[in-house]
Amino acid sequence: MSSEYAQSPVWWSTTVSNYVDPQLDQWISELGLTKDEDQQKKIAANVERYFAENVIQIPLYYNGIWYAYNDSRFEGWANEENQIGHPAPWNGMSRLVHLMNLKPKG
């Protein structure tokens, strides 16, 4: 939701609404810089509270990550018991890690 790219050709990748607020941008920036888990929780709580109080956008549905696989011929798929990486095929290098873990079944 950072407004870093608001009103630019890539605005859709960061804020669908082109909403701009310096305080919100600061929290989002700080969240990416701190390694302190307690500080991360505090910042995330600030962002969540801000969203709730200002109703910047209302999600119409949750876009969960859908993933299906067929283990009849191969094993090693990413799943709850085998958390080798993000299973979604659009998630960068996770695709390669995923592929390298597949082995013929049997």
Side-chain angles (χ1 to χ4, degrees):
M1 192 65 202
S2 172
S3 65
E4 180 179 358
Y5 298 106
Q7 306 300 327
S8 77
V10 293
W11 67 269
W12 57 268
S13 66
T14 55
T15 170
V16 175
S17 63
N18 269 323
Y19 185 84
V20 176
D21 184 282
Q23 179 61 65
L24 185 58
D25 289 345
Q26 180 182 344
W27 286 328
I28 291 170
S29 178
E30 289 172 0
L31 186 60
L33 297 175
T34 184
K35 293 182 180 181
D36 181 338
E37 190 172 329
D38 289 333
Q39 185 66 15
Q40 290 173 348
K41 289 178 182 178
K42 180 180 175 185
I43 295 169
N46 288 339
V47 171
E48 289 177 3
R49 188 177 319 102
Y50 186 93
F51 271 63
E53 291 172 355
N54 293 281
V55 193
I56 297 167
Q57 62 188 36
I58 301 172
L60 299 178
Y61 60 91
Y62 173 71
N63 190 12
I65 295 172
W66 298 96
Y67 171 68
Y69 60 93
N70 180 336
D71 61 359
S72 64
R73 297 187 311 154
F74 292 92
E75 58 190 11
W77 301 97
N79 57 39
E80 189 173 3
E81 292 80 33
N82 186 29
Q83 298 181 13
I84 56 171
H86 197 291
W90 45 260
N91 191 29
M93 292 305 290
S94 290
R95 293 177 286 195
L96 183 57
V97 171
H98 200 172
L99 183 62
M100 292 173 67
N101 277 277
L102 294 179
K103 307 287 184 232
K105 198 166 189 175

